[in-house]
Amino acid sequence: MSYQRFEIINQAIREAFLEKKRTAPEAFQNRLKFSWSNWGFGLEDFETSCERLEKAGIHYIELHGNHYGPDLGYDADTVKKIMAAHGIAAAGVCGMFSADNDLSSNRHIKRQAAIDYIKREAEFTEKVGGKYMLVCPAAVGRPGKYDDSEIDRSIDSLSRVADVFVKHGIRAAIEPIRAAETSIVHTFREAKDYISRLNHPGVQHINGDVYHMLVGESHIAKALWDAGSMLTNLHMADTNRCALGDGSLDIDTIIMALYLIGYNNDDACFVTPEPLGPGGDPYPAQNAKTAPEILDKLVFDSVNYFRQREEEVLKL
């Protein structure tokens, strides 16, 4: 029986992984940095969230980019104090882009809101020691396009504020999102084209999300391998957008691809679960109250399964 096409790619990744282990064993000393995106915790108190991550042995957090106005959002000093008390460091900030702050909007006031939002979040990211800020080229939760000029407006908007990423010493990470949730930039190839067209040293990285990649990429692990050093954060959820291990995601091959690109040896690269559940617009989760035991299960199941699979892969 012949291999299916995805199995042929899997085998190529496995062989490259084993060859690297044989020829460069020193590259496998560090484990992948496991973080957690906390905006899915909704209205939960930040200290409670950090207590959960500490109990789960998670030492990094992707912070909710909640500075929607100059008087809103986390206080950097307070956040740093709470994180330090629980042995947690900031991985980065999850930029939140809706129709209210849309880089691609046909309403200039919404583009300006996105520019101002990025300035606030970039400054906050540096203050808390984060390495990256996630940027969505268009609003999440608005899959219908305004017109055929969205990409042009988005690039123009981001180019006007891209200097702040250099100023604050952080990476801007462009996230491709499935077509059911946003109108432009759905694949890694499109993200690379967007970055190339913008052509700015502050915008050179990609934030992957395996749930979006299930429909956007022909092979998730191959796309990660091809992205190489452009990848700086990878959102994780299983095929049902629930905890890792609850679906049929080929996590082992993803782990191999990450080790192949040296992801475990870059201080600004993270694996960051964001299990939001199936459905359309996920943004309402940021204003929800979820039972703590449900969040506990999501976190503990995900980290335990991922670490188990990582160790199994490294035994090969």
Side-chain angles (χ1 to χ4, degrees):
M1 184 177 183
S2 62
Y3 284 126
Q4 297 178 75
R5 290 177 181 174
F6 79 88
E7 291 177 312
I8 295 172
I9 299 173
N10 282 3
Q11 187 62 26
I13 291 172
R14 181 187 177 95
E15 290 174 359
F17 174 82
L18 292 174
E19 177 64 12
K20 184 174 181 179
K21 276 196 72 182
R22 186 184 68 80
T23 58
E26 69 281 0
F28 294 82
Q29 297 303 309
N30 296 324
R31 295 296 183 265
L32 296 164
K33 288 176 285 298
F34 196 93
S35 181
W36 197 275
S37 187
N38 82 315
W39 71 267
F41 291 164
L43 299 179
E44 181 176 78
D45 177 71
F46 184 68
E47 183 152 21
T48 301
S49 298
C50 287
E51 288 173 356
R52 176 184 298 110
L53 299 186
E54 182 183 20
K55 289 177 182 176
I58 297 173
H59 304 296
Y60 298 97
I61 186 170
E62 179 183 84
L63 295 159
H64 178 186
N66 57 8
H67 298 89
Y68 299 108
D71 300 314
L72 297 173
Y74 292 132
D75 173 73
D77 291 336
T78 301
V79 164
K80 287 169 65 178
K81 182 178 179 180
I82 293 172
M83 289 193 303
H86 295 283
I88 295 171
V93 167
C94 185
M96 310 292 283
F97 294 85
S98 69
D100 293 328
N101 62 331
D102 186 347
L103 289 165
S104 71
S105 179
N106 58 2
R107 297 186 62 198
H108 301 307
I109 192 170
K110 302 303 182 185
R111 292 174 62 199
Q112 184 64 55
I115 289 170
D116 293 341
Y117 171 75
I118 289 172
K119 291 177 181 177
R120 291 190 295 270
E121 289 301 347
E123 180 181 10
F124 172 78
T125 303
E126 181 187 21
K127 284 182 178 179
V128 297
K131 305 294 188 182
Y132 66 86
M133 177 186 169
L134 186 158
V135 177
C136 299
V140 180
R142 179 185 63 78
K145 67 178 183 180
Y146 290 127
D147 51 44
D148 293 329
S149 299
E150 287 190 355
I151 284 277
D152 299 316
R153 287 194 300 269
S154 180
I155 290 172
D156 178 73
S157 300
L158 190 54
S159 69
R160 294 170 184 266
V161 73
D163 285 345
V164 302
F165 300 113
V166 177
K167 174 184 176 182
H168 294 293
I170 62 172
R171 296 175 173 181
I174 302 300
E175 181 174 18
I177 293 176
R178 62 183 182 143
E181 292 183 38
T182 196
S183 55
I184 56 173
V185 187
H186 306 127
T187 67
F188 270 41
R189 177 70 267 164
E190 290 171 355
K192 290 174 183 177
D193 289 345
Y194 182 96
I195 290 167
S196 177
R197 283 187 58 187
L198 197 149
N199 191 28
H200 191 283
V203 185
Q204 291 294 315
H205 291 86
I206 293 174
N207 183 96
D209 186 311
V210 297
Y211 187 73
H212 300 306
M213 296 174 78
L214 283 166
V215 294
E217 310 297 337
S218 60
H219 194 286
I220 293 174
K222 180 65 162 56
L224 298 175
W225 191 12
D226 290 343
S229 61
M230 292 186 76
L231 185 71
T232 195
N233 188 55
L234 181 62
H235 281 164
M236 296 284 283
D238 219 308
T239 49
N240 51 7
R241 214 173 196 178
C242 294
L244 297 178
D246 281 354
S248 54
L249 187 69
D250 183 2
I251 293 178
D252 289 6
T253 307
I254 288 172
I255 290 171
M256 290 181 205
L258 294 177
Y259 274 90
L260 273 174
I261 64 174
Y263 204 71
N264 58 313
N265 293 316
D266 188 325
D267 288 340
C269 289
F270 303 87
V271 172
T272 307
E274 191 189 48
L276 299 168
D281 179 7
Y283 272 12
Q286 66 186 297
N287 296 310
K289 288 185 177 181
T290 303
E293 57 269 22
I294 294 176
L295 298 177
D296 289 347
K297 182 172 173 54
L298 282 175
V299 170
F300 281 87
D301 284 359
S302 292
V303 68
N304 290 338
Y305 187 74
F306 185 86
R307 289 304 187 199
Q308 174 194 347
R309 297 317 310 169
E310 183 178 24
E311 293 308 312
E312 288 295 323
V313 165
L314 292 173
K315 289 178 185 176
L316 292 173

